[in-house]
Amino acid sequence: MRRILIAVAAAGALTALTACTASGAEEVNTPGLADRGTTMTTVKPTRQDLTNKVSLSGKVQLSPTFGLVAPIDGEIRYLDVKTSTSTPTKPTKVANIWVSGKATPIEVPAGAIFSGRLVDDRSKVTAGMPIVSAKQVGYGVVADIDGSQAYQISDKLESVQAQIKSGPGPFPCTVLGTLAALPAGTIPEPVTPAPNPSASAAPPPKVIGQQQQPSEPTGMRLVCVPPADVKAINGAATTVEVITARAANALVLPVEAVAGSQGKGKVDIVKPDQTRETREVTLGLSDGKVIEIKSGLNGDETVAVPGPNLPAAKNNGGGGEPVPGFSK
């Protein structure tokens, strides 16, 4: 009889354990995964003011060299420029660009001295080509520019602010000349008039003074001048912030939602039935977090994040892989 009771009790305990295990299994079941291609994150376009900024590292430099460019296409004809003995208080005319018999003067601004010809005399030049180098008298801020930044800031500079590390700033900085790299300048020997054989007196002896040194070649860089009341120390490190463009109340999306660059892009619109429609958009400014959508959207759309994959490049020697999202 005792053996029967023990068997019944053991069977009851096993039944209870099985029930608990089954109940527990129901509670910890793993939920099913979403179907492949299902959009998990979406965003709607918003509006905000947008500023395109480029930050450069530089330093304070005494008497920095900068370049002047041709304002128009034409033929350049240089003038003989006398060596300056003091800081010019007026612009110095150094060349003319001739087009159809009309001359456009090229002048080094006041406060700077002529330091070299950058192309040959009577060369054909195009607008924007560096043609003259000049040297600023006094302190300037010089910031080097790499190739990836050159096209961002070459077209238009809204404003330039500089900050001397552990020193004055931020302060507005007036840009001089071009951002382009400059070749070495040349300064020709002054022309000495031939002696007059009929003159009875001997020509005066030539006075040899200190010859002006031509400018050295430079890389791509931004040169600007701080306000007169800013205390500058030669060699001090600086940070230069360049604002290249602004857009007010711009329609924007996160950069992750957009594929493309250089003005053209694509986004994936998520419809109410969760299907996607890839749409082309025109791109504008970007601050690295959001990007302006100039056309292609009205602002009411739901957009998938990340954006569509760009198609792989054809095998033409360069290769390529699909690039998800925005490409800077």
Side-chain angles (χ1 to χ4, degrees):
M1 183 66 178
R2 184 177 178 182
R3 290 181 179 178
I4 294 174
L5 290 175
I6 291 173
V8 171
L14 180 61
T15 301
L17 178 62
T18 303
C20 288
T21 303
S23 174
E26 289 177 1
E27 292 176 3
V28 297
N29 275 344
T30 302
L33 297 176
D35 293 335
R36 184 180 297 275
T38 301
T39 300
M40 304 304 294
T41 305
T42 60
V43 67
K44 283 186 172 292
T46 59
R47 289 193 175 274
Q48 68 175 66
D49 293 342
L50 201 58
T51 301
N52 194 25
K53 298 180 181 179
V54 178
S55 184
L56 306 172
S57 296
K59 62 181 179 180
V60 176
Q61 183 175 319
L62 187 62
S63 302
T65 297
F66 62 96
L68 302 177
V69 301
I72 57 173
D73 298 351
E75 180 183 279
I76 186 167
R77 299 181 190 176
Y78 289 104
L79 305 177
D80 290 327
V81 181
K82 295 181 180 180
T83 301
S84 179
T85 57
S86 62
T87 303
T89 57
K90 296 180 180 180
T92 304
K93 186 175 179 180
V94 295
N96 287 309
I97 305 293
W98 286 87
V99 181
S100 302
K102 182 180 179 182
T104 300
I106 305 299
E107 295 180 332
V108 171
I113 59 175
F114 169 75
S115 61
R117 302 177 178 183
L118 302 183
V119 298
D120 293 333
D121 190 31
R122 295 182 179 270
S123 296
K124 298 293 184 182
V125 297
T126 56
M129 178 186 294
I131 54 174
V132 170
S133 60
K135 185 174 291 186
Q136 174 68 16
V137 178
Y139 288 108
V141 174
V142 178
D144 293 328
I145 299 171
D146 63 36
S148 63
Q149 297 168 319
Y151 286 95
Q152 290 180 271
I153 62 179
S154 61
D155 292 335
K156 187 177 181 181
L157 301 179
E158 284 268 338
S159 67
V160 176
Q161 297 277 326
Q163 169 73 58
I164 299 177
K165 293 183 179 179
S166 301
F171 51 81
C173 207
T174 304
V175 176
L176 298 176
T178 179
L179 307 176
L182 306 179
T186 60
I187 298 179
E189 291 286 345
V191 178
T192 302
N196 185 356
S198 62
S200 57
K206 183 178 180 181
V207 178
I208 301 176
Q210 184 178 4
Q211 186 176 1
Q212 183 179 349
Q213 295 299 313
S215 62
E216 297 291 334
T218 71
M220 288 187 295
R221 61 186 193 170
L222 181 147
V223 179
C224 64
V225 179
D229 60 349
V230 171
K231 182 180 180 181
I233 300 176
N234 192 41
T238 63
T239 299
V240 179
E241 184 181 81
V242 181
I243 296 178
T244 60
R246 304 174 191 267
N249 197 33
L251 188 69
V252 300
L253 281 173
V255 294
E256 296 83 2
V258 182
S261 62
Q262 310 230 343
K264 296 182 179 179
K266 294 183 179 182
V267 298
D268 275 350
I269 305 300
V270 180
K271 297 181 178 180
D273 61 1
Q274 295 302 302
T275 59
R276 292 193 183 199
E277 172 196 344
T278 299
R279 187 178 299 178
E280 293 187 354
V281 293
T282 302
L283 306 178
L285 303 183
S286 175
D287 62 1
K289 296 179 181 180
V290 298
I291 186 167
E292 179 186 10
I293 307 298
K294 300 182 74 172
S295 66
L297 300 179
N298 58 30
D300 297 330
E301 297 86 356
T302 299
V303 180
V305 179
N309 287 340
L310 294 176
K314 294 182 180 179
N315 189 5
N316 57 3
E321 296 293 335
V323 181
F326 173 68
S327 173
K328 290 186 179 180

